[in-house]
């Protein structure tokens, strides 16, 4: 779908509104491998406890420009 939007409409920026985009680390790395050749500009949402430095680095490499973090409190 992203490639079709790029080819038909010239879009290159995509924002994902999944609150936990990085909840499945294996899937997130697979996603990165799949989109890397297309040089998209990506934005996403996730939680702080679902990140590590290596994953952040990989997301940046494939075009992540904005990552909104949900920070919650138990009180």
């Amino acid at each position: 779908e992203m490639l079709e939007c790029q080819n038909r409409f010239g879009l290159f920026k995509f924002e994902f509104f999944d609150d936990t985009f990085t909840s499945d680390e294996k899937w997130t790395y697979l996603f990165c491998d799949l989109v890397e050749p297309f040089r998209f500009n990506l934005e996403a949402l996730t939680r702080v406890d679902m990140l590590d430095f290596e994953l952040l680095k990989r997301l940046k490499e494939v075009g992540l420009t904005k990552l909104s973090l949900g920070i919650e409190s138990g009180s």
Side-chain angles (χ1 to χ4, degrees):
E1 289 177 15
M2 293 168 68
L3 285 175
E4 183 175 353
C5 287
Q6 185 181 47
N7 292 332
R8 288 181 71 190
F9 308 113
L11 300 177
F12 64 93
K13 181 178 179 182
F14 298 91
E15 185 170 354
F16 296 92
F17 289 100
D18 179 349
D19 291 342
T20 54
F21 184 77
T22 60
S23 63
D24 183 341
E25 187 174 295
K26 199 177 202 180
W27 178 90
T28 307
Y29 277 105
L30 175 61
F31 174 83
C32 289
D33 293 342
L34 293 172
V35 301
E36 185 171 27
F38 305 106
R39 308 307 300 161
F40 294 126
N41 182 323
L42 306 170
E43 297 182 3
L45 307 164
T46 195
R47 290 175 23 180
V48 175
D49 63 341
M50 296 180 175
L51 291 172
D52 61 32
F53 179 75
E54 291 303 316
L55 186 56
L56 284 171
K57 187 172 141 183
R58 183 68 178 129
L59 287 164
K60 182 179 178 186
E61 290 171 352
V62 301
L64 186 77
T65 58
K66 178 181 175 184
L67 186 63
S68 297
L69 302 174
I71 302 170
E72 301 173 16
S73 171
S75 61

